[in-house]
């Protein structure tokens, strides 16, 4: 697609209603997603169960939201 054609398409899209643009944006983003990895849902289930078992056993180190935010700010170097 040429630059000119892309600009024309953008102009046309911007005339759509907000909900129509949102629907189009959603579909465009979905079209860029790769197909789901095989087994990813099962792997997450296993990981969630593992983490919950650590919490139930009292071996997990839990932190407050404020402490988590502080740790993340320290890690990325922002205030």
């Amino acid at each position: 697609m040429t630059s000119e054609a892309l600009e024309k398409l953008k102009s046309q899209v911007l005339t759509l209603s907000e909900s129509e643009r949102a629907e189009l944006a959603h579909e465009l983003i979905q079209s860029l997603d790769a197909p789901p990895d095989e087994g990813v849902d099962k792997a997450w289930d296993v990981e969630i169960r593992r983490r919950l078992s650590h919490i139930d056993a009292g071996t997990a180190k839990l932190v407050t939201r404020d402490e988590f935010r502080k740790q993340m700010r320290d890690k990325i170097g922002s205030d």
Side-chain angles (χ1 to χ4, degrees), residues 7-45:
E7 288 304 315
K8 182 177 179 182
L9 179 59
K10 282 193 237 179
S11 293
Q12 291 172 334
V13 167
L14 291 174
T15 65
L16 298 172
S17 71
E18 184 177 333
S19 63
E20 291 169 327
R21 289 192 319 272
E23 183 180 342
L24 178 59
H26 178 74
E27 289 182 28
L28 288 171
I29 290 169
Q30 281 187 318
S31 75
L32 297 173
D33 287 342
D37 292 338
E38 291 295 321
V40 74
D41 287 336
K42 184 177 180 186
W44 270 114
D45 288 343

Side-chain angles (χ1 to χ4, degrees):
M1 177 173 279
T2 67
S3 216
E4 186 178 313
L6 182 57
E7 288 304 315
K8 182 177 179 182
L9 179 59
K10 282 193 237 179
S11 293
Q12 291 172 334
V13 167
L14 291 174
T15 65
L16 298 172
S17 71
E18 184 177 333
S19 63
E20 291 169 327
R21 289 192 319 272
E23 183 180 342
L24 178 59
H26 178 74
E27 289 182 28
L28 288 171
I29 290 169
Q30 281 187 318
S31 75
L32 297 173
D33 287 342
D37 292 338
E38 291 295 321
V40 74
D41 287 336
K42 184 177 180 186
W44 270 114
D45 288 343
V46 168
E47 179 62 15
I48 290 166
R49 285 188 187 99
R50 184 188 71 77
R51 292 180 187 197
L52 287 172
S53 71
H54 284 272
I55 292 169
D56 291 342
T59 58
K61 181 180 180 238
L62 304 177
V63 296
T64 65
R65 181 183 352 194
D66 290 338
E67 178 60 25
F68 175 76
R69 285 181 175 167
K70 181 187 179 309
Q71 289 175 11
M72 292 301 104
R73 284 186 186 114
D74 290 349
K75 199 173 260 193
I76 62 173
S78 69
D79 297 348

